[in-house]
Amino acid sequence: MGAEDGAASPEPIPEEAVVVERKVARKVTGLRGRRLTVERPPHLIADLVAARDNPKCAGQIRSKRHPAQELQTPGAVVSVWGTQTDDKDMFVPFFAQKGINFDGELSRMRHRVGVMSHRGHKPEQPNQDEFFVLARADSVLLGVLDGHGPDGHDVAHFAQEHLPANIMEGMRKDPESWEKSVSSAVTKLCEQSEKDADIHKKADISGCTMSVLMLDSPSSNKIRLRSAFLGDSVAVLAKRKSKSDSWDITPLTTIHRPDREDERERIKAAGGHVIEGDGTDGARLAADGWSLAISRSWGDFHSCRYGMSHDPEFLEAELESGFEYFILVCSDGVWDVMTHPQVVNLVGKFGAAEAQTAVEKLVSKAQLKWQEQGDIVDDITAVLLWPAFGSGLEEEEKTIKEETCESPPADAEKKESVDAEKKDSVNGEKKEAAADGGKKEETA
């Protein structure tokens, strides 16, 4: 209650009390500082992996090669990707972090990366989101997949393990064939699922969205960024000239909604039907007792005859040196409750060296937004990358050491030769002096 509401004016505080109060304040501040230092969150995904022996990780981070790495030279790729969901994951706590597989020395990545995936609050389902990052010296392939349906987690993981290898198979033959390679990779994924009876059965009534991006460097001061997408997992590129500027946002995906004009026409031509939105819920694709909020996905084979499509769409962007950039790919668990500017401004508060901290804050913020709306919270996944121009991987330390030991620099060899000559010269002078001394003694 303020003084204007009739409260008595406070009495002056004695000088001694002020001194005591200041001492207590300093002591509390010191304790807080020490606590924050001990519990400082990891700034990059490499820091999180390095701390995997911490009891808090509880086996969530495991060393395992991604299947796509089998196509690559051993040691040429470092990877981070989601672990496979099993029956016990139905009982992990809500909002628990999804397990992470990794391979290689992530600290070699010059690109700054953060990854976070949380289970939502859906009692009948585990975390159905998936993610992967595969980094080479000359390129990065990354993506987010969001499963749906009773077995969407298994369908999404099957796609996450097979799609990158299928894409790289085509790109190795022709680095310029991005659209062809991705389209062929999705077709091959369908063929691979047909050979796996369990997955093919699950993918009939379950599916997943996917947004996949590839970065490569046609020159030292440019990065080419290409995207391919199905469904509603959104990717954006943020750009600014200096820290005093606001972020420019470029969408790298578009959402495949059934009521988008071209999608509606394809659904109608296939004999399907679009259930119109009512202002609260968006339009949906009707599929024989089921309905879906998206019109393109992988899986959902039962709905193909009603107009569901597996054909990805593509976009491309170019990054030039002299600007600050970051790339963010998230499942709809982020975008359904936050706008592009809200997401980019939150992430942009953290620098490249705090990429992991940024995605953790983003996922937590999205989770709170969901909880403000009701009891259901979607699975939430975010992959953040601050690109580095030039080589994407630092040279392996082992290779550097071997070159230093086996092939010393020419300057070092010259120095050793000069030192040897000086040593021989000094030794020769000493021998001559000793001989002269002996002759003088004989004469005497």
Side-chain angles (χ1 to χ4, degrees):
M1 184 180 292
E4 64 276 12
D5 296 322
S9 300
E11 296 181 3
I13 299 174
E15 178 106 13
E16 303 88 339
V18 174
V19 174
V20 171
E21 186 175 334
R22 284 175 181 168
K23 286 182 179 179
V24 172
R26 283 200 296 270
K27 182 179 287 187
V28 171
T29 302
L31 288 172
R32 286 175 180 166
R34 286 196 293 273
R35 183 174 70 250
L36 289 172
T37 300
V38 172
E39 297 180 1
R40 180 180 62 82
H43 288 326
L44 298 170
I45 187 63
D47 299 322
L48 185 65
V49 169
R52 61 187 177 278
D53 294 330
N54 188 313
K56 290 183 178 181
C57 294
Q60 293 177 325
I61 303 173
R62 310 160 195 170
S63 177
K64 185 178 181 181
R65 287 170 59 85
H66 192 282
Q69 292 178 257
E70 302 303 325
L71 294 174
Q72 311 292 329
T73 305
V77 180
V78 296
S79 64
V80 179
W81 51 295
T83 58
Q84 184 165 11
T85 303
D86 55 31
D87 293 340
K88 70 176 183 296
D89 288 315
M90 288 286 291
F91 307 103
V92 301
F94 298 119
F95 317 129
Q97 178 182 330
K98 184 179 179 67
I100 295 174
N101 293 320
F102 78 96
D103 183 70
E105 294 294 330
L106 298 185
S107 59
R108 291 177 57 210
M109 270 198 293
R110 294 185 62 244
H111 307 291
R112 301 310 185 192
V113 175
V115 176
M116 181 54 62
S117 180
H118 271 190
R119 183 188 181 190
H121 187 266
K122 297 182 292 183
E124 73 284 359
Q125 292 173 333
N127 188 344
Q128 295 189 306
D129 285 357
E130 287 286 346
F131 59 86
F132 66 89
V133 180
L134 299 166
R136 293 169 46 92
D138 58 356
S139 64
V140 181
L141 186 67
L142 61 101
V144 167
L145 303 89
D146 182 355
H148 53 259
D151 297 302
H153 46 285
D154 290 328
V155 173
H157 189 79
F158 181 86
Q160 188 258 107
E161 285 197 335
H162 291 77
L163 183 67
N166 295 351
I167 294 173
M168 292 310 302
E169 187 176 0
M171 294 297 290
R172 288 184 70 186
K173 297 175 183 176
D174 181 4
E176 302 303 316
S177 65
W178 171 247
E179 295 187 12
K180 180 181 178 182
S181 293
V182 175
S183 297
S184 298
V186 174
T187 299
K188 184 174 181 179
L189 190 62
C190 295
E191 296 169 353
Q192 290 168 324
S193 71
E194 291 175 359
K195 298 176 182 178
D196 186 321
D198 181 55
I199 283 295
H200 194 64
K201 181 179 179 180
K202 291 177 177 178
D204 190 55
I205 56 173
S206 298
C208 68
T209 69
M210 55 178 69
S211 289
V212 182
L213 288 81
M214 186 170 192
L215 294 84
D216 60 4
S217 300
S219 66
S220 60
N221 62 346
K222 288 186 179 181
I223 293 177
R224 176 172 53 180
L225 176 57
R226 294 174 285 184
S227 66
F229 47 95
L230 290 166
D232 58 3
S233 293
V234 173
V236 297
L237 170 67
K239 169 187 176 181
R240 69 181 180 185
K241 182 68 175 177
S242 67
K243 295 188 183 299
S244 61
D245 296 331
S246 58
W247 292 99
D248 291 330
I249 305 171
T250 302
L252 299 170
T253 57
T254 58
I255 296 179
H256 293 127
R257 299 292 189 203
D259 58 350
R260 202 177 84 177
E261 195 58 38
D262 56 339
E263 299 294 290
R264 184 194 296 273
E265 290 177 4
R266 187 191 65 251
I267 292 168
K268 185 177 179 180
H273 173 65
V274 176
I275 303 171
E276 300 298 337
D278 58 6
T280 303
D281 295 322
R284 302 181 71 86
L285 168 62
D288 193 19
W290 296 76
S291 67
L292 298 115
I294 52 177
S295 52
R296 300 196 194 199
S297 69
W298 185 77
D300 298 313
F301 296 136
H302 78 288
S303 61
C304 291
R305 58 183 176 273
Y306 301 105
M308 175 64 73
S309 173
H310 298 155
D311 296 331
E313 289 192 309
F314 306 91
L315 288 173
E316 185 169 331
E318 188 176 83
L319 287 59
E320 296 181 343
S321 60
F323 293 88
E324 192 175 17
Y325 298 94
F326 66 78
I327 298 153
L328 185 66
V329 194
C330 305
S331 62
D332 64 343
V334 170
W335 307 110
D336 280 356
V337 292
M338 298 180 71
T339 65
H340 288 188
Q342 287 175 333
V343 170
V344 167
N345 288 332
L346 190 157
V347 171
K349 292 178 181 179
F350 302 87
E354 296 181 300
Q356 185 62 30
T357 306
V359 291
E360 291 177 4
K361 295 291 185 182
L362 174 61
V363 168
S364 295
K365 184 69 172 180
Q367 174 191 315
L368 289 174
K369 292 279 189 180
W370 278 96
Q371 289 174 309
E372 290 171 359
Q373 295 182 3
D375 293 333
I376 299 299
V377 178
D378 200 2
D379 302 325
I380 306 171
T381 298
V383 175
L384 171 65
L385 184 143
W386 291 75
F389 288 85
S391 176
L393 295 181
E394 297 285 0
E395 191 174 5
E396 289 186 278
E397 186 177 355
K398 180 179 177 182
T399 304
I400 296 172
K401 286 181 177 179
E402 288 175 351
E403 290 177 355
T404 302
C405 295
E406 295 175 8
S407 306
D411 290 344
E413 291 180 352
K414 183 184 287 186
K415 185 177 183 300
E416 289 177 6
S417 176
V418 171
D419 290 344
E421 289 177 5
K422 287 182 178 180
K423 187 175 181 181
D424 290 341
S425 176
V426 171
N427 290 338
E429 290 175 359
K430 287 181 178 180
K431 288 179 181 179
E432 288 178 5
D436 290 342
K439 287 179 181 180
K440 289 178 181 178
E441 289 178 5
E442 289 176 6
T443 305

